[in-house]
């Protein structure tokens, strides 16, 4: 179980991190390569399929490298939008 209570693992978190990395001039794939992770392993972390202590450390590093405040702001906005859409449906 993820100890991070700010970000819920899943598609939104993955997309926000990937977008924040792009805004810094890199890609999710390049971040994985630089950090010695397979893309699949890193995706498993952002989607919550890997949630042990090592995965938590990877997620924290990924969020920090992407820019914690950018990720937090974009994540909050995406979650608010998803909540609004869920109410309409």
């Amino acid at each position: 179980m993820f100890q991070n209570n700010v970000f819920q693992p899943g598609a939104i978190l993955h997309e926000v991190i990937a977008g924040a990395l792009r805004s810094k001039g890199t890609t999710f794939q390049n971040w994985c390569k630089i950090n010695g992770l397979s893309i699949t392993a890193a995706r498993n972390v952002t989607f919550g399929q890997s949630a042990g202590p090592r995965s938590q450390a990877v997620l924290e590093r990924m969020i920090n490298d992407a820019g914690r405040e950018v990720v937090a702001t974009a994540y909050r906005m995406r979650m608010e939008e998803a909540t609004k859409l869920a109410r309409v449906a």
Side-chain angles (χ1 to χ4, degrees):
M1 170 79 51
F2 273 84
Q3 301 301 313
N4 186 328
N5 59 5
V6 177
F7 306 109
Q8 175 88 22
I12 291 175
L13 180 59
H14 178 81
E15 291 170 6
V16 165
I17 290 171
L21 288 168
R22 277 192 307 276
S23 75
K24 291 189 110 180
T26 190
T27 63
F28 185 80
Q29 292 80 359
N30 193 48
W31 186 92
C32 293
K33 183 178 179 182
I34 290 168
N35 287 276
L37 292 169
S38 72
I39 294 168
T40 301
R43 271 182 61 87
N44 286 344
V45 169
T46 60
F47 276 83
Q49 295 167 329
S50 297
R54 183 170 182 267
S55 296
Q56 274 296 141
V58 168
L59 181 61
E60 288 299 313
R61 190 168 69 238
M62 195 182 301
I63 291 169
N64 287 335
D65 290 352
R68 183 166 289 277
E69 288 196 24
V70 172
V71 171
T73 299
Y75 179 81
R76 187 185 74 249
M77 291 172 66
R78 292 285 305 275
M79 290 302 289
E80 287 172 0
E81 185 64 27
T83 301
K84 289 177 188 174
L85 290 173
R87 284 188 210 141
V88 172

